[in-house]
Amino acid sequence: MKYIPHPPLQLSGSRELLGRAAQVDATLAYSGYVLQRDRLVDGEYPMFAERASGAHVWDVDGNKYLDFILAYGTIILGHADPVVSEAVTKEIRDGFAITLRKRVQVELAELLTSVIPGGERVFLLKSGSDATSAAVRVSRAHTGRERVIRWGYNGWHDWCANRPGGVPAAAQEVVSTFRYNDLASLEAEFARYPGQVACLLMMPFEVDPPAPGFLQAAAELAHRNGALFVLDEMRSGFRMCLGGAQEKYGVSADLVTFSKAMANGYPISALVGTERMMRSVGEVHIGSTFHVNGAEMAAAIATITQLRDSALLKRIESLGEQFQQGLRAQVAGSTLDAEVAGVPQMPFLRFTEGDEEVRQRIQDLFYTETVRRGVLLHPNHHWYICGAMTQQDIETALEATAAGFRAAEAAVNHD
Ligand SMILES: Cc1ncc(COP(=O)(O)O)c(C=O)c1O
């Protein structure tokens, strides 16, 4: 059956800006990493946004998209949430005034300690990398050891950068990793470095959730070896439930790091832990001029309060379930090899065709069709659901993914 693909989007504004950026902007000119990520399918995805509101983003060419990338998980309520915007505007109107500390710093620390299991002290920073690096430094100070075992994406600083360029070998010689959901591989790592590991720092999961008991066993193994157990909750925090993966999976961490959804798009992060662990903050250098900026703290308070006082997180979960159920039905009815993955709040569709070239072709065709139909889905990173989405939005997304399957099937079966 011949399938007629949706006509291409008009993206001349994005292309023009990309051409200008190539002359002046190093992130866009040279960083293949960023560029690959942003182009998603070369020539098909928009590069530059004009504005965003609720569940939607408009690009500089006026195309409107239903956004499942959600600024890489920083948006939980919806873009430009009015309550958050008002709280931030008030802070800005009052002047940043970071000559002194702002009241919101104390209020946010009180709020975080009231919702995070085991959270007795809070250190506020700006980025996710700030917070994970602070967790490592505190762990090293607390244990007097240097070695780190880590898992997942933990940021861009020397100890966890995923490209070797510009990183002193010594910084990564004391860091190693293991296979997720594979306790034997983690045990082997601890056995290789007896008495040397300061912390086990890991995302609770990336796409596939933890096997039952895995996180508890990992925490216990860390403690048995005298190391701290640190959860990197940059993506899972304030998205699954208020208390994060600790609450969801019934595990306790010594230190937890948050950012992203915590302030609905504003740059802030937090290191949270027990009083006993966080006391080590006094022995180390962690500090940056803008760490004390109040606007982002006001955004975090407005975001977390709304999540706490509403049923939004439940709603996000059920919208994600609706999406995953619909996708499962489409996979079952398709001739393509694919599987629905992830937790409902962060769903994903994985193409599993064995031949890499064919798989890439299927993927490109699928995502070309969905983006042309105004649905922004990431081909290589799990997606996110936000509170501004509706059941109708999920149906719209499912119509686009159904068309994506048809487009890819027609082309592949035609070969
Ligand atoms: C799990 C996790 N940890 C750490 C980071 C680093 O955060 P940032 O990019 O804000 O430095 C990220 C960013 O994507 C992340 O997903």
Side-chain angles (χ1 to χ4, degrees):
M1 176 191 29
K2 185 101 180 85
Y3 179 79
I4 302 176
H6 199 279
L9 295 168
Q10 201 283 99
L11 296 172
S12 59
S14 267
R15 287 203 190 98
E16 193 251 335
L17 280 170
L18 186 59
R20 281 167 54 193
Q23 306 304 312
V24 289
D25 183 320
T27 58
L28 293 173
Y30 309 125
S31 180
Y33 177 62
V34 174
L35 204 55
Q36 270 161 11
R37 191 181 82 169
D38 286 351
R39 281 179 162 175
L40 309 178
V41 179
D42 212 12
E44 294 288 344
Y45 273 68
M47 290 282 296
F48 293 89
E50 193 67 52
R51 67 190 182 91
S53 173
H56 294 94
V57 174
W58 286 258
D59 72 11
V60 288
D61 291 287
N63 301 302
K64 179 184 177 185
Y65 306 90
L66 182 55
D67 183 10
F68 287 90
I69 299 176
L70 291 171
Y72 290 88
T74 64
I75 301 299
I76 183 72
L77 303 167
H79 288 284
D81 176 77
V83 177
V84 176
S85 299
E86 183 49 38
V88 171
T89 308
K90 181 186 175 309
E91 273 300 313
I92 293 173
R93 253 194 255 114
D94 289 349
F96 287 112
I98 59 174
T99 305
L100 308 177
R101 302 300 169 107
K102 298 296 295 281
R103 180 185 299 275
V104 282
Q105 178 168 342
V106 182
E107 290 171 350
L108 176 55
E110 286 170 348
L111 181 58
L112 284 168
T113 53
S114 74
V115 298
I116 305 304
E120 294 171 346
R121 296 289 184 276
V122 170
F123 195 106
L124 296 173
L125 314 95
K126 282 286 163 263
S127 71
S129 301
D130 264 8
T132 52
S133 297
V136 165
R137 192 164 290 174
V138 168
S139 301
R140 285 173 168 160
H142 187 84
T143 57
R145 300 169 171 186
E146 282 197 7
R147 189 157 274 286
V148 171
I149 302 178
R150 72 173 191 91
W151 182 82
Y153 181 75
N154 306 123
W156 69 274
H157 291 167
D158 282 358
W159 65 277
C160 60
N162 61 14
R163 288 177 163 194
V167 176
Q172 295 206 342
E173 269 159 19
V174 288
V175 181
S176 60
T177 188
F178 62 98
R179 282 187 302 280
Y180 186 67
N181 268 343
D182 179 344
L183 198 59
S185 119
L186 181 57
E187 277 166 348
E189 219 46 46
F190 272 109
R192 263 205 306 161
Y193 305 107
Q196 297 172 53
V197 180
C199 67
L200 164 60
L201 182 148
M202 61 184 291
M203 295 170 73
F205 65 91
E206 186 173 16
V207 178
D208 302 309
F214 178 71
L215 293 177
Q216 288 83 347
E220 201 208 303
L221 193 57
H223 290 156
R224 217 184 311 135
N225 284 276
L228 305 195
F229 180 60
V230 186
L231 278 179
D232 174 351
E233 289 237 50
M234 240 53 89
R235 298 188 203 176
S236 48
F238 301 103
R239 186 148 235 119
M240 318 241 300
C241 47
L242 217 50
Q246 291 193 96
E247 181 182 327
K248 173 78 184 168
Y249 298 114
V251 65
S252 298
D254 300 300
L255 297 169
V256 192
T257 59
F258 296 98
S259 184
K260 295 207 187 253
M262 169 182 174
N264 204 51
Y266 287 86
I268 185 166
S269 61
L271 174 65
V272 182
T274 59
E275 192 277 330
R276 198 169 78 80
M277 300 299 160
M278 293 292 280
R279 218 183 289 156
S280 300
V281 162
E283 295 166 38
V284 299
H285 179 186
I286 308 170
S288 188
T289 308
F290 287 118
H291 280 177
V292 299
N293 219 27
E296 299 86 340
M297 296 173 189
I301 294 170
T303 303
I304 297 168
T305 313
Q306 287 189 74
L307 295 176
R308 185 193 61 192
D309 299 342
S310 72
L312 270 178
L313 288 177
K314 274 268 150 262
R315 210 177 108 73
I316 287 168
E317 184 174 17
S318 74
L319 289 170
E321 280 165 358
Q322 182 194 343
F323 199 8
Q324 287 186 316
Q325 268 166 24
L327 285 168
R328 273 191 206 105
Q330 290 175 3
V331 168
S334 167
T335 55
L336 302 175
D337 293 333
E339 63 187 22
V340 179
V343 296
Q345 300 86 340
M346 295 144 77
F348 191 53
L349 179 67
R350 205 180 266 142
F351 289 102
T352 53
E353 157 69 45
D355 181 318
E356 206 177 316
E357 233 173 76
V358 178
R359 185 173 67 241
Q360 190 59 50
R361 181 134 180 275
I362 290 171
Q363 194 171 299
D364 285 352
L365 287 163
F366 177 90
Y367 287 95
T368 294
E369 192 65 20
T370 49
V371 75
R372 287 182 180 184
R373 288 170 182 268
V375 178
L376 272 184
L377 297 165
H378 202 303
N380 304 309
H381 187 298
H382 61 75
W383 314 330
Y384 293 99
I385 308 285
C386 77
M389 287 175 178
T390 62
Q391 289 184 352
Q392 179 55 51
D393 287 331
I394 300 298
E395 279 165 30
T396 301
L398 285 168
E399 280 164 26
T401 53
F405 274 110
R406 287 200 301 276
E409 276 162 6
V412 172
N413 295 340
H414 214 66
D415 288 350

